[in-house]
Amino acid sequence: MVSLVWLIPALPLLGFLLLLAVGPRLGEPIAGWLATAMVAGSFVVSVLAFIGLHSQPDHTTTFTLFTWIPAGRFNVDVGFLLDPLSSAMILFITGVGALIHLYSIGYMHGDKKFSKFFLYLNLFVFSMLLLVLGDNLLLTFVGWEGVGTCSYLLISFWFEKPANASAGKKAFVTNRVGDWGFMVGIFITWFTFGTIQYTQFIPVSPGAATTTATIISLMLFIGAVGKSAQIPLYLWLPDAMAGPTPVSALIHAATMVTAGVYVMVRINPMLHAASPWLPTLIAWVGVITALFAATIAMAQTDIKKVLAYSTVSQLGYMFLAVGVGGYWVAIFHMITHAFFKALLFLGAGSVIHGMDDEQDLRRMGGLRKLMPITAATFIVGWLAIAGVPPFSGFWSKDEILTYAFHQNIALYLVGLFTALLTAFYMSRQVFLVFYGKARWNDPAEPSTHEAHSDAEAAAEGAEAGAAAVATAVDAGEHHEIHPHESPWTMWVPLVVLAVFAAIAGFINLPFADSTKYLENWLEPVTGRYGAVVDYSNGTIVALLTISTIVALSGIGVAFLVYRRRKLPAAWFEPPLFLQGWHYDAAVSAFMGGPGRAGFNALSWFDRTIIDGAVNGIGALARDTGSIVRRTQSGLVRTYALAVTIGAVLLMLFVLTRVNW
Amino acid sequence: MILAATSTAVNDSGFQPYWYLILGALLFSIGAVGLLVRRNPLVMLMCVELMLNAVNLTFVTFGTMLNDIGGQVIVFFVLVVAAAEVVVGLGIIVAVMRRRPDATADDISALRG
Amino acid sequence: MEAAVFIVCAVIVLAGAFGVVLSRNPVHSALSLVATLFGIAVLFLNQDAQLLAVVQVIVYTGAIVVLILFVLMLLGVDRDDDLDEDPIVGQRVLAILAGLALLGGLLAVFIAGKNEVATGQHSATAAIRTDLSNIAQLGRQIFTTWIFAFEITAGLLTVAVIGAVVMARRPDSYEPLPEPADMDDDGRYVDPADENESGSAEVGA
């Protein structure tokens, strides 16, 4: 059964090729069903492979497809590594992916480029599977780049609006900065170990020199920072909301952004061998990003932007887990996050769809009765992310906090405070959207900032917090909106995801060894070098209780502010948060100013010095040629003279050699 | 004049066979300079003949000095080849001069680079 | 005696050589060449190379120089503007320098080596015999040791003759040479059709 592992990426690839060839002809909705079927098939094979893996030694198996690069000492095969880590990931990638494909059939209904959307989605799933299943760094990198490309293609899917195209470019370029780190990491890995295959270099990496391990891990971490939207390279993710909502759900919640965490967990022995400052750095970057993004999310008015910043924040939690040695915990949170974040995004998409593309929170309200299924599932997702027991998010977030507590109280406290903020802003969102008075027919309030639909179409992207680019909210304009529930292709995935978001936490309960199913399953990959946290049940229960209290307080404060209006909202939504601490603006200013000067200087250098050197060699050859050419006068007597002089020189040379 | 010019006669009367070599060298250089300086093709041909004769003289002298008939044999063949060369050379000159009677060696410069 | 013969002939040879190189009139050059060739022939005799001396006179002087004179007369290439200046810059200076260098090198060897300059194996082909005539010795060598070369040179001569005939043939597309009556008093060639020709020198018929 595990020999079928090659089918897992092959099916989406097949879907991509078929849609490439005959997609427009198949049209709506067959193209969508074809794509969904492919990914669903992948999921079925993943389940089979997962089951089959139990009988393999160490729950690991490899499968080599063909030799790709046989270049002397550098040998790279296309092969798949199916081990506990990758099998866990392919399950939720294909599972959530299939559900999102199904959802998209309804969401993209009526779009002119219907089949192209599914083409890109299938290509994306293929790339992601390649990333996760690849048995060497290069194949992972191919998948890495592939998901980056698909992200770009899908974010700027509606590229007719310049702002969407800019958002796509911004995502790609920011990712590229991280990719540099990844590539350097691959190079150094090869130089150090002579191989880039996981099964070969990872087991020996703890024996590598500390500096080398640190540098490799640091470079790969830089790649992860770009791909998983941590500080300072997170700015592309909020802008990426310009893409269709299923894209945000799949790529920017459940899968692509988790690639960075996956790579860090994959190389955890090397991380363990690195200097202690690097894991500490990773943990602090993660937790600061979590806090930072949570504050920004508190003030956002676009329903998707809140979720985008929330994703950045939750990814920060995952990196916090990696930094404190809780590698399997990061994966745990990744899985639960995939469920509830995809659920929240799809639910938001459902709301947007039902509200005729309205995305402003302030113009919603009271949708609970008009969109019951969406509301119910969204609420499940809300409770999960807020960390309310017994939903999944509670368990995974608490594990992270426990590991942080084990490492450093400061990390724990910041994480706890961020959990409070998370509960707060998510509750805010739920209350504003589903409860309260219906506000969509109210005259538009004067906004605290301008909504520019053609804002700064230059490469540096729009300001953080600008209104949704898909709508134009002008003062005074409002059309009749009749919110309605979405079709079954859209709410069925919501329900399925809600079920998982509710129960996924039970794959790892911290009370007894027998309930720690995920930790035990991942043990071959993460167990040896992860942190060992062995608290008594009493301590565990105490930490759980603290987390619950914090979550409920967050909800409570939001309740007071937004439902009972006991506290003014303005306290919690300062413009600083809305503007994302002006980070985006600062980056734009830098890139436009000193950055541009630097780029121009580099461009000048390339043009004048490097090109000049190369062209100069050509010019030198040409000029030397024209000088030497003059000896070819065509005159016989000149040639005769040359022959004579040559003969004389030869003779004189011989004479110097003669034994006088 | 039909004195035996064998090596035994070398040491008397102060005559040395290597004087022939010196004469040959002089003749050769004069021919070489003439070839480079003159432009009339026929005169250039004559300078080539001078050089050939210098070489012939040298060969015969070496034959004498080494007591070898081979020197003279070589000269025999050189004579034949020189004759053939002159024939062909004159044919070329005739063919060229027919078109342009005032052609000199400098006028054929179509192969200039 | 030999020295005296040598010195006289050497003077004749060198005078002829200078005459060839320095004469304005190509016919004078040809006649000077005759003098040189005769001198060389006598020098051959001086070294008991009788056959060569005779062949030299017959072939070189009697055939080759005559041929050259024929062509000179036939084509009227006897203009004498050669020696005033050289159109190629530096040619003369370099030529003389090269010639002097060449001469210097050769003389250095010969004067330093004197008679020992001949370092080859003695009598490699065959010793010069006093009992047999020169012709017989040469004949013996040519028709035994060097028979192959002999046959090839025969072929060479045939090829040369054929080639010369082919090259010097008057092509059909040509206009015939104008009559000698078209020569003007200076001996210059006046062809009424000359103005129309492009004047590029082509080789071959």
Side-chain angles (χ1 to χ4, degrees), chain A residues 362-437:
Chain A
R362 299 165 298 179
R363 295 179 62 71
M364 300 178 187
L367 288 175
R368 198 174 75 254
K369 301 195 181 54
L370 296 165
M371 306 173 76
I373 308 181
T374 307
T377 52
F378 200 95
I379 286 172
V380 171
W382 161 54
L383 292 174
I385 191 175
V388 173
F391 295 94
S392 57
F394 168 69
W395 303 105
S396 59
K397 197 182 297 188
D398 188 75
E399 280 295 343
I400 298 180
L401 291 175
T402 308
Y403 272 75
F405 181 74
H406 176 251
Q407 173 91 338
N408 184 343
I409 289 277
L411 286 171
Y412 172 72
L413 289 173
V414 177
L416 197 61
F417 181 64
T418 310
L420 178 71
L421 295 182
T422 308
F424 175 80
Y425 69 69
M426 284 310 299
S427 314
R428 166 180 176 264
Q429 183 173 33
V430 166
F431 293 144
L432 283 177
V433 173
F434 292 108
Y435 287 85
K437 189 168 74 73

Side-chain angles (χ1 to χ4, degrees), chain B residues 34-108:
Chain B
L35 180 63
L36 294 173
V37 172
R38 296 300 298 251
R39 289 194 296 285
N40 190 322
L42 287 159
V43 176
M44 290 171 84
L45 195 59
M46 288 188 253
C47 293
V48 172
E49 296 309 315
L50 278 182
M51 287 198 281
L52 281 169
N53 273 284
V55 168
N56 285 349
L57 183 63
T58 311
F59 267 127
V60 170
T61 310
F62 274 128
T64 308
M65 287 160 88
L66 291 173
N67 193 19
D68 191 358
I69 197 71
Q72 300 185 22
V73 174
I74 293 178
V75 173
F76 186 81
F77 286 113
V78 171
L79 232 41
V80 171
V81 174
E85 166 220 338
V86 167
V87 163
V88 173
L90 286 176
I92 293 176
I93 291 175
V94 164
V96 170
M97 293 301 195
R98 199 181 267 147
R99 275 288 232 157
R100 289 187 0 153
D102 50 351
T104 65
D106 286 343
D107 295 329
I108 308 178

Side-chain angles (χ1 to χ4, degrees), chain A residues 507-532:
Chain A
I507 62 175
N508 200 91
L509 294 175
F511 303 113
D513 212 34
S514 54
T515 56
K516 295 186 186 175
Y517 182 63
L518 183 66
E519 184 178 354
N520 292 335
W521 172 249
L522 285 176
E523 203 261 330
V525 180
T526 63
R528 224 166 130 202
Y529 299 102
V532 177

Side-chain angles (χ1 to χ4, degrees), chain A residues 632-635 637 640-641, chain B residues 36-37 39 106 108-109 112-113:
Chain A
Q632 299 291 320
S633 59
L635 295 168
R637 296 202 294 138
L641 182 61
Chain B
L36 294 173
V37 172
R39 289 194 296 285
D106 286 343
I108 308 178
S109 59
R112 68 175 305 134

Side-chain angles (χ1 to χ4, degrees), chain A residues 41-57:
Chain A
S42 240
F43 175 67
V44 169
V45 180
S46 304
V47 171
L48 291 175
F50 177 75
I51 296 174
L53 205 52
H54 282 79
S55 53
Q56 299 290 330

Side-chain angles (χ1 to χ4, degrees), chain A residues 208-279:
Chain A
T210 311
T211 332
T212 318
T214 313
I215 293 182
I216 297 178
S217 311
L218 179 64
M219 285 297 140
L220 293 173
F221 175 60
I222 292 177
V225 162
K227 191 66 83 180
S228 298
Q230 298 297 292
I231 290 176
L233 294 175
Y234 73 89
L235 7 110
W236 62 272
L237 192 50
D239 282 44
M241 296 300 114
T245 311
V247 170
S248 309
L250 181 60
I251 299 185
H252 309 123
T255 44
M256 181 180 103
V257 293
T258 58
V261 182
Y262 162 75
V263 169
M264 297 313 295
V265 172
R266 175 61 80 194
I267 61 158
N268 73 75
M270 181 129 38
L271 200 52
H272 177 81
S275 298
W277 63 261
L278 184 59

